[in-house]
């Protein structure tokens, strides 16, 4: 039986060298986006090819393989690290260091390396090495804010906060030129990023800067503090209130005007509807109506008289019993028998013209008005129509 100490010296006879894995450091830090190397190597006097395995153990997951070397073949496992991880040197050089490119925050964890050689003995746990990787994240640009009203004699708080950063950043406030000033606790809280300014005065106005910083980097933001007097504050408040009042007045009158116009329009529409409902159908013009029978008779009589006036006397004598209605509707008796009376003093006799009816129209005007001449039958003495 043979035995060897940790250095491979001979005890109880000939013995092979002891296999052991070494690491350059137990903790490695990297900044997000940069590359990192996990340094590791193993010692062995065996000429056989080793079997090397790298695993990643995270706090929220079980350990899983990321890289292996077996029988001279390198295999990268299907993980999110696959396109970014690999052996830094040939494994047969006994340097089994691993590189990781473009590190991410979730790459942080415990990396374990295990080496086994077929004909090489090892002590318990000596063939395993562990390296803790921490990926740092620089602070995101912080946001500066002012809490409170910066009036003379008042108190305000300047706040600064960054949404991202690993480890959590510390904050430092300072006042910029022309009046440089650095602040310390208790006025400043470096963990919370607040700066309390009390009993403000006009000369405290200026530019203030906040720097968020951790091991990975820094970022800053700036804010202008303008301290105003109470009178200025009252003026500003009055101006604001006056503007709001003016806007409210304009809005009120605008609504009233719109309502008035709408009401007027609705009233006009209602009146128009009432007029349409109460309107009487248009009457037929008087000149298009059929004239009464007595008017037709009168018009016809006048037309008959006018026609007789144009004929020679005696051409078509009327009956002795013929009656003539004048334009005014009066009755003129029949002519006496015996024909025409003899001429007097040798002058021809002219029949008397019927007197013009007051307000009457000449026959020409009646004809233009559409009157139709009608003959009235004569009546004999016995009362029969001729």
């Amino acid at each position: 039986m043979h035995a060897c100490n940790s250095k491979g010296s001979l005890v109880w006879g000939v013995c092979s060298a002891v296999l052991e894995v070494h690491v350059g450091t137990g903790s490695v830090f990297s900044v997000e986006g940069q590359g990192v190397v996990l340094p590791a190597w193993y010692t062995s006097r065996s000429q056989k090819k080793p079997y090397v395995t790298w695993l990643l153990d995270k706090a929220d997951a079980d350990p899983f393989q990321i890289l292996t070397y077996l029988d001279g073949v390198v295999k990268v496992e299907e993980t999110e690290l696959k396109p970014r991880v690999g052996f830094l040197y040939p494994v047969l050089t006994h340097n089994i260091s691993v590189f990781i490119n473009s590190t991410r925050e979730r790459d942080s964890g415990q990396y374990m390396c295990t080496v086994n050689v077929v004909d090489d003995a090892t002590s318990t746990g000596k063939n395993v090495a562990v390296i803790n990787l921490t990926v740092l994240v620089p602070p995101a640009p912080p946001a500066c804010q002012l809490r409170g009203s910066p009036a003379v004699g008042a108190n305000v708080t300047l706040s600064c906060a960054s949404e991202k950063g690993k480890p959590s950043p510390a904050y430092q406030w300072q006042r910029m030129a022309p009046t440089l000033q650095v602040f310390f606790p208790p006025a400043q809280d470096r963990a919370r990023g607040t700066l309390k300014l009390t009993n403000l005065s006009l000369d405290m106005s200026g530019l203030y800067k906040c720097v968020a910083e951790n091991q990975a980097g820094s970022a800053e933001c700036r804010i202008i503090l303008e301290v105003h007097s109470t009178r200025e504050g009252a003026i500003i408040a009055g101006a604001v209130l006056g503007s709001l009042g003016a806007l409210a007045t304009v809005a009120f009158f605008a609504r009233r005007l719109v309502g008035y116009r709408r009401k007027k329009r609705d009233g006009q529409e209602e009146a128009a509807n009432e007029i349409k409902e109460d309107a009487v159908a248009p009457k037929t013009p008087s000149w298009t109506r059929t004239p009464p029978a007595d008017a037709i008779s009168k018009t016809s009589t006048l037309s008959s008289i006018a026609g007789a006036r144009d004929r020679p006397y005696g051409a078509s004598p009327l009956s002795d019993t013929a009656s003539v209605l004048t334009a005014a509707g009066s009755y003129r008796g029949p002519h006496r028998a015996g024909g025409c009376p003899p001429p007097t003093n040798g002058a021809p006799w002219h029949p008397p013209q019927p007197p013009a009816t007051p307000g009457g129209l000449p026959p020409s005007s009646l004809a233009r008005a559409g009157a139709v001449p009608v003959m009235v039958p004569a009546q004999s003495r016995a009362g029969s129509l001729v």
Side-chain angles (χ1 to χ4, degrees), residues 248-322:
T249 302
V250 171
F252 173 76
F253 282 106
R255 291 182 62 185
R256 290 294 299 273
L257 179 59
V258 171
Y260 171 76
R261 290 184 175 179
R262 186 177 298 170
K263 185 175 181 181
K264 184 177 179 181
R265 182 185 61 191
D266 294 342
Q268 291 176 350
E269 291 179 355
E270 291 178 1
N273 293 334
E274 291 178 359
I275 292 174
K276 290 179 181 179
E277 292 176 358
D278 299 339
V280 180
K283 297 181 178 180
T284 305
S286 59
W287 56 270
T288 60
R289 287 191 240 163
T290 304
D294 57 346
I296 295 175
S297 177
K298 295 175 184 179
T299 305
S300 302
T301 303
L302 291 176
S303 300
S304 301
I305 295 172
R309 188 180 303 163
D310 294 338
R311 295 195 303 268
Y313 184 76
S316 179
L318 296 176
S319 171
D320 292 341
T321 60

Side-chain angles (χ1 to χ4, degrees), residues 107-304:
D107 294 341
S108 299
Q110 191 175 68
Y111 290 78
M112 297 181 295
C113 177
T114 303
V115 179
N116 290 295
V117 181
V118 175
D119 57 354
D120 206 349
T122 182
S123 300
T124 303
K126 293 295 183 178
N127 65 330
V128 179
V130 177
I131 300 177
N132 289 309
L133 173 63
T134 302
V135 179
L136 306 178
V137 180
C144 290
Q145 294 181 344
L146 170 65
R147 301 174 185 173
S149 178
V152 173
N155 301 332
V156 297
T157 300
L158 302 181
S159 64
C160 176
S162 180
E163 295 182 353
K164 188 178 180 180
K166 183 181 178 181
S168 298
Y171 302 94
Q172 175 64 53
W173 279 97
Q174 66 182 34
R175 186 177 177 182
M176 304 297 293
T179 305
L180 295 176
Q181 185 178 2
V182 180
F183 301 95
F184 300 95
Q188 176 178 242
D189 188 332
R190 287 181 57 85
R192 294 186 176 183
T194 58
L195 173 63
K196 295 182 179 180
L197 301 177
T198 59
N199 194 19
L200 292 178
S201 59
L202 294 176
D203 58 2
M204 295 176 70
S205 301
L207 178 63
Y208 290 76
K209 179 177 74 172
C210 173
V211 178
E213 185 177 15
N214 64 8
Q215 295 92 320
S218 63
E220 65 180 45
C221 64
R222 302 185 181 192
I223 189 171
I224 297 177
L225 175 64
E226 294 184 357
V227 181
H228 55 78
S229 63
T230 306
R231 181 179 178 184
E232 292 177 351
I235 293 175
I236 294 174
V240 172
L241 293 177
S243 300
L244 293 178
L247 291 176
T249 302
V250 171
F252 173 76
F253 282 106
R255 291 182 62 185
R256 290 294 299 273
L257 179 59
V258 171
Y260 171 76
R261 290 184 175 179
R262 186 177 298 170
K263 185 175 181 181
K264 184 177 179 181
R265 182 185 61 191
D266 294 342
Q268 291 176 350
E269 291 179 355
E270 291 178 1
N273 293 334
E274 291 178 359
I275 292 174
K276 290 179 181 179
E277 292 176 358
D278 299 339
V280 180
K283 297 181 178 180
T284 305
S286 59
W287 56 270
T288 60
R289 287 191 240 163
T290 304
D294 57 346
I296 295 175
S297 177
K298 295 175 184 179
T299 305
S300 302
T301 303
L302 291 176
S303 300
S304 301

Side-chain angles (χ1 to χ4, degrees), residues 48-113:
K48 298 289 183 69
K49 295 178 180 178
Y51 172 47
V52 182
T53 303
W54 279 94
L55 297 90
L56 173 59
D57 186 7
K58 291 185 177 183
D60 57 351
D62 295 332
F64 56 90
Q65 290 186 355
I66 61 172
L67 187 65
T68 60
Y69 178 85
L70 179 61
D71 294 333
V73 179
V74 175
K75 182 180 180 181
V76 181
E77 302 295 338
E78 295 292 337
T79 66
E80 61 179 353
L81 287 168
K82 182 175 182 178
R84 300 180 289 119
V85 68
F87 286 106
L88 187 62
Y89 302 101
V91 174
L92 293 180
T93 62
H94 291 199
N95 191 328
I96 52 177
S97 298
V98 171
F99 69 86
I100 301 175
N101 293 327
S102 302
T103 56
R104 304 169 185 173
E105 182 181 3
R106 57 179 174 272
D107 294 341
S108 299
Q110 191 175 68
Y111 290 78
M112 297 181 295
C113 177

